[in-house]
Amino acid sequence: MSEEQIPKSESLASKAKSKKRSREDDGGRRKKKKTGYEQDDSLLDTELGVNTGIAFMDSQLMADHLAQRTTKFGTDLSAVELADLYISPASIQDTTSWQEPRTLAKLPDFLEKFTKDPKDLTKAPKQKGAPHTLIVAGAGLRAADIVRALRKYQSKENSVAKLFAKHIKIDESIKFLSSHRTGLAVGTPQRLTDLLENGSLSLANLQRLVVDASHIDQKKRGILDMKEITMPLAKWLSRKEFKDKYTAEEKPLQLLFY
């Protein structure tokens, strides 16, 4: 990070914490058109392409934020259907201890911090198409950037799979998963869902599920700011296969928001 960016990051962090304190001081009252961290441009670092507010959301705040977004975008769903999409705070790992900017360059360091043995990221399960780490991005181009950021983990015995629709046909992804030992995979919600449901993607060895939540595009939108992405993401994260593992006593599945 440059010397010019450091003061800016500190200023953004101060604003985020100040907003949190002010909500506590006034008993949690909020304006109707402005809830939590959303719609506050002061928390959007357009130079880094990051919504800095995500970094200050602990498990409870992240669960509330995700629920608020699904409620906003899921107006066509019943109360029961919305309840099925709810992810409990106990299912989300608190990552507020991560003090670095949530940029592409820092993603490997983030993964290593929240992996018991960072060397495991360089290894792939023997079963093909059964990654230990899945990273969910909001768009194909962003997913491609993430794959490049994870190149340090790639080897002949440990592939980083590209599981998104941008310029990659689903048949290509199916062929890749069936022929490669894959440690990490990066994809978009709908493509991941399709590959899981057709049996190409296995969850047998999955240890961590990471959501690329802080990134914002040129229009200042993140993965939780667009209905066409947020709803497939919510349905993906709330699949029974995941919910059963988030809070498992033995080898729980890590759910991380970067």
PDB file of all heavy atoms in Angstrom, residues 5 7 21 41 56 77 83 140 150 160 163 168 175-176 214 246 258:
ATOM      1  N   GLN A   5      -2.215   5.999   0.407  1.00  0.00           N
ATOM      2  CA  GLN A   5      -3.398   5.181   0.678  1.00  0.00           C
ATOM      3  C   GLN A   5      -3.570   4.880   2.155  1.00  0.00           C
ATOM      4  O   GLN A   5      -4.659   4.667   2.639  1.00  0.00           O
ATOM      5  CB  GLN A   5      -3.298   3.865  -0.095  1.00  0.00           C
ATOM      6  CG  GLN A   5      -3.468   4.052  -1.603  1.00  0.00           C
ATOM      7  CD  GLN A   5      -3.173   2.785  -2.347  1.00  0.00           C
ATOM      8  OE1 GLN A   5      -2.330   1.987  -1.956  1.00  0.00           O
ATOM      9  NE2 GLN A   5      -3.865   2.586  -3.458  1.00  0.00           N
ATOM     10  N   PRO A   7      -3.284   6.741   5.014  1.00  0.00           N
ATOM     11  CA  PRO A   7      -4.179   7.646   5.745  1.00  0.00           C
ATOM     12  C   PRO A   7      -5.624   7.479   5.313  1.00  0.00           C
ATOM     13  O   PRO A   7      -6.529   7.554   6.118  1.00  0.00           O
ATOM     14  CB  PRO A   7      -3.635   9.031   5.386  1.00  0.00           C
ATOM     15  CG  PRO A   7      -2.219   8.795   4.991  1.00  0.00           C
ATOM     16  CD  PRO A   7      -2.230   7.465   4.314  1.00  0.00           C
ATOM     17  N   ARG A  21     -20.649   2.810  16.331  1.00  0.00           N
ATOM     18  CA  ARG A  21     -20.875   3.371  17.669  1.00  0.00           C
ATOM     19  C   ARG A  21     -22.129   4.226  17.717  1.00  0.00           C
ATOM     20  O   ARG A  21     -22.905   4.161  18.660  1.00  0.00           O
ATOM     21  CB  ARG A  21     -19.656   4.201  18.091  1.00  0.00           C
ATOM     22  CG  ARG A  21     -18.443   3.379  18.510  1.00  0.00           C
ATOM     23  CD  ARG A  21     -17.451   4.244  19.273  1.00  0.00           C
ATOM     24  NE  ARG A  21     -16.978   5.343  18.457  1.00  0.00           N
ATOM     25  CZ  ARG A  21     -15.898   5.274  17.691  1.00  0.00           C
ATOM     26  NH1 ARG A  21     -15.205   4.155  17.612  1.00  0.00           N
ATOM     27  NH2 ARG A  21     -15.511   6.328  16.976  1.00  0.00           N
ATOM     28  N   ASP A  41     -21.115   5.969   0.607  1.00  0.00           N
ATOM     29  CA  ASP A  41     -19.968   6.038  -0.289  1.00  0.00           C
ATOM     30  C   ASP A  41     -18.661   6.311   0.435  1.00  0.00           C
ATOM     31  O   ASP A  41     -17.581   6.066  -0.115  1.00  0.00           O
ATOM     32  CB  ASP A  41     -20.192   7.126  -1.354  1.00  0.00           C
ATOM     33  CG  ASP A  41     -21.160   6.672  -2.434  1.00  0.00           C
ATOM     34  OD1 ASP A  41     -21.611   5.508  -2.360  1.00  0.00           O
ATOM     35  OD2 ASP A  41     -21.469   7.464  -3.339  1.00  0.00           O
ATOM     36  N   PHE A  56     -15.346  -4.625   8.869  1.00  0.00           N
ATOM     37  CA  PHE A  56     -15.739  -4.357  10.250  1.00  0.00           C
ATOM     38  C   PHE A  56     -16.981  -5.135  10.669  1.00  0.00           C
ATOM     39  O   PHE A  56     -17.505  -4.928  11.762  1.00  0.00           O
ATOM     40  CB  PHE A  56     -15.962  -2.855  10.436  1.00  0.00           C
ATOM     41  CG  PHE A  56     -14.742  -2.049  10.116  1.00  0.00           C
ATOM     42  CD1 PHE A  56     -14.613  -1.420   8.887  1.00  0.00           C
ATOM     43  CD2 PHE A  56     -13.694  -1.959  11.022  1.00  0.00           C
ATOM     44  CE1 PHE A  56     -13.476  -0.702   8.570  1.00  0.00           C
ATOM     45  CE2 PHE A  56     -12.547  -1.249  10.714  1.00  0.00           C
ATOM     46  CZ  PHE A  56     -12.433  -0.618   9.481  1.00  0.00           C
ATOM     47  N   LEU A  77     -40.396 -13.824  -2.762  1.00  0.00           N
ATOM     48  CA  LEU A  77     -40.342 -15.036  -1.949  1.00  0.00           C
ATOM     49  C   LEU A  77     -41.242 -14.913  -0.725  1.00  0.00           C
ATOM     50  O   LEU A  77     -41.478 -13.818  -0.224  1.00  0.00           O
ATOM     51  CB  LEU A  77     -38.909 -15.303  -1.487  1.00  0.00           C
ATOM     52  CG  LEU A  77     -37.847 -15.486  -2.569  1.00  0.00           C
ATOM     53  CD1 LEU A  77     -36.481 -15.740  -1.923  1.00  0.00           C
ATOM     54  CD2 LEU A  77     -38.207 -16.634  -3.504  1.00  0.00           C
ATOM     55  N   ALA A  83     -36.727 -17.386   5.111  1.00  0.00           N
ATOM     56  CA  ALA A  83     -36.162 -17.986   6.320  1.00  0.00           C
ATOM     57  C   ALA A  83     -35.193 -19.108   5.966  1.00  0.00           C
ATOM     58  O   ALA A  83     -34.171 -19.301   6.635  1.00  0.00           O
ATOM     59  CB  ALA A  83     -37.270 -18.505   7.220  1.00  0.00           C
ATOM     60  N   GLY A 140     -17.677 -13.265 -13.919  1.00  0.00           N
ATOM     61  CA  GLY A 140     -16.633 -14.064 -14.539  1.00  0.00           C
ATOM     62  C   GLY A 140     -15.287 -13.358 -14.606  1.00  0.00           C
ATOM     63  O   GLY A 140     -14.247 -13.968 -14.328  1.00  0.00           O
ATOM     64  N   LEU A 150      -4.245 -16.446  -7.291  1.00  0.00           N
ATOM     65  CA  LEU A 150      -3.975 -17.681  -6.549  1.00  0.00           C
ATOM     66  C   LEU A 150      -2.966 -18.585  -7.247  1.00  0.00           C
ATOM     67  O   LEU A 150      -2.792 -19.743  -6.860  1.00  0.00           O
ATOM     68  CB  LEU A 150      -5.288 -18.456  -6.348  1.00  0.00           C
ATOM     69  CG  LEU A 150      -6.392 -17.723  -5.572  1.00  0.00           C
ATOM     70  CD1 LEU A 150      -7.646 -18.582  -5.523  1.00  0.00           C
ATOM     71  CD2 LEU A 150      -5.936 -17.361  -4.172  1.00  0.00           C
ATOM     72  N   VAL A 160      -6.054 -24.914  -9.936  1.00  0.00           N
ATOM     73  CA  VAL A 160      -7.019 -23.913  -9.497  1.00  0.00           C
ATOM     74  C   VAL A 160      -8.079 -23.849 -10.598  1.00  0.00           C
ATOM     75  O   VAL A 160      -7.815 -23.371 -11.695  1.00  0.00           O
ATOM     76  CB  VAL A 160      -6.357 -22.536  -9.303  1.00  0.00           C
ATOM     77  CG1 VAL A 160      -7.404 -21.508  -8.879  1.00  0.00           C
ATOM     78  CG2 VAL A 160      -5.244 -22.610  -8.257  1.00  0.00           C
ATOM     79  N   LEU A 163     -14.443 -21.956 -12.595  1.00  0.00           N
ATOM     80  CA  LEU A 163     -15.820 -22.443 -12.680  1.00  0.00           C
ATOM     81  C   LEU A 163     -16.794 -21.281 -12.833  1.00  0.00           C
ATOM     82  O   LEU A 163     -17.601 -20.993 -11.953  1.00  0.00           O
ATOM     83  CB  LEU A 163     -16.156 -23.285 -11.439  1.00  0.00           C
ATOM     84  CG  LEU A 163     -15.160 -24.414 -11.123  1.00  0.00           C
ATOM     85  CD1 LEU A 163     -15.613 -25.187  -9.907  1.00  0.00           C
ATOM     86  CD2 LEU A 163     -14.983 -25.340 -12.319  1.00  0.00           C
ATOM     87  N   ILE A 168     -16.213 -19.599 -20.803  1.00  0.00           N
ATOM     88  CA  ILE A 168     -15.965 -21.007 -20.485  1.00  0.00           C
ATOM     89  C   ILE A 168     -17.296 -21.761 -20.496  1.00  0.00           C
ATOM     90  O   ILE A 168     -18.170 -21.503 -19.661  1.00  0.00           O
ATOM     91  CB  ILE A 168     -15.295 -21.151 -19.097  1.00  0.00           C
ATOM     92  CG1 ILE A 168     -13.965 -20.390 -19.068  1.00  0.00           C
ATOM     93  CG2 ILE A 168     -15.064 -22.629 -18.771  1.00  0.00           C
ATOM     94  CD1 ILE A 168     -13.284 -20.405 -17.714  1.00  0.00           C
ATOM     95  N   LYS A 175     -15.392 -31.278 -18.006  1.00  0.00           N
ATOM     96  CA  LYS A 175     -14.224 -32.045 -18.448  1.00  0.00           C
ATOM     97  C   LYS A 175     -13.020 -31.766 -17.564  1.00  0.00           C
ATOM     98  O   LYS A 175     -12.271 -32.685 -17.202  1.00  0.00           O
ATOM     99  CB  LYS A 175     -13.904 -31.693 -19.901  1.00  0.00           C
ATOM    100  CG  LYS A 175     -12.755 -32.494 -20.495  1.00  0.00           C
ATOM    101  CD  LYS A 175     -12.532 -32.143 -21.956  1.00  0.00           C
ATOM    102  CE  LYS A 175     -11.371 -32.939 -22.537  1.00  0.00           C
ATOM    103  NZ  LYS A 175     -11.134 -32.603 -23.976  1.00  0.00           N
ATOM    104  N   PHE A 176     -12.840 -30.496 -17.191  1.00  0.00           N
ATOM    105  CA  PHE A 176     -11.698 -30.124 -16.353  1.00  0.00           C
ATOM    106  C   PHE A 176     -11.784 -30.800 -14.991  1.00  0.00           C
ATOM    107  O   PHE A 176     -10.813 -31.390 -14.510  1.00  0.00           O
ATOM    108  CB  PHE A 176     -11.640 -28.608 -16.178  1.00  0.00           C
ATOM    109  CG  PHE A 176     -10.442 -28.127 -15.417  1.00  0.00           C
ATOM    110  CD1 PHE A 176      -9.281 -27.770 -16.077  1.00  0.00           C
ATOM    111  CD2 PHE A 176     -10.464 -28.036 -14.020  1.00  0.00           C
ATOM    112  CE1 PHE A 176      -8.153 -27.337 -15.366  1.00  0.00           C
ATOM    113  CE2 PHE A 176      -9.351 -27.610 -13.311  1.00  0.00           C
ATOM    114  CZ  PHE A 176      -8.191 -27.258 -13.996  1.00  0.00           C
ATOM    115  N   SER A 214     -15.906  -7.983  -0.439  1.00  0.00           N
ATOM    116  CA  SER A 214     -15.464  -6.589  -0.352  1.00  0.00           C
ATOM    117  C   SER A 214     -15.287  -5.907  -1.704  1.00  0.00           C
ATOM    118  O   SER A 214     -15.366  -4.681  -1.795  1.00  0.00           O
ATOM    119  CB  SER A 214     -14.133  -6.505   0.415  1.00  0.00           C
ATOM    120  OG  SER A 214     -14.288  -6.953   1.735  1.00  0.00           O
ATOM    121  N   TYR A 246     -21.644 -26.231   8.495  1.00  0.00           N
ATOM    122  CA  TYR A 246     -21.151 -24.982   9.071  1.00  0.00           C
ATOM    123  C   TYR A 246     -20.896 -25.092  10.573  1.00  0.00           C
ATOM    124  O   TYR A 246     -19.920 -24.542  11.096  1.00  0.00           O
ATOM    125  CB  TYR A 246     -22.152 -23.849   8.839  1.00  0.00           C
ATOM    126  CG  TYR A 246     -22.243 -23.354   7.412  1.00  0.00           C
ATOM    127  CD1 TYR A 246     -23.468 -22.937   6.893  1.00  0.00           C
ATOM    128  CD2 TYR A 246     -21.129 -23.273   6.586  1.00  0.00           C
ATOM    129  CE1 TYR A 246     -23.582 -22.454   5.592  1.00  0.00           C
ATOM    130  CE2 TYR A 246     -21.225 -22.798   5.271  1.00  0.00           C
ATOM    131  CZ  TYR A 246     -22.464 -22.390   4.786  1.00  0.00           C
ATOM    132  OH  TYR A 246     -22.573 -21.922   3.508  1.00  0.00           O
ATOM    133  N   TYR A 258     -14.585 -12.308   2.502  1.00  0.00           N
ATOM    134  CA  TYR A 258     -13.348 -11.540   2.320  1.00  0.00           C
ATOM    135  C   TYR A 258     -13.666 -10.117   1.911  1.00  0.00           C
ATOM    136  O   TYR A 258     -14.485  -9.905   1.019  1.00  0.00           O
ATOM    137  CB  TYR A 258     -12.472 -12.218   1.257  1.00  0.00           C
ATOM    138  CG  TYR A 258     -11.164 -11.495   1.006  1.00  0.00           C
ATOM    139  CD1 TYR A 258     -10.258 -11.296   2.047  1.00  0.00           C
ATOM    140  CD2 TYR A 258     -10.821 -11.019  -0.251  1.00  0.00           C
ATOM    141  CE1 TYR A 258      -9.048 -10.651   1.836  1.00  0.00           C
ATOM    142  CE2 TYR A 258      -9.609 -10.365  -0.467  1.00  0.00           C
ATOM    143  CZ  TYR A 258      -8.736 -10.183   0.572  1.00  0.00           C
ATOM    144  OH  TYR A 258      -7.539  -9.535   0.366  1.00  0.00           O
TER     145      TYR A 258
END
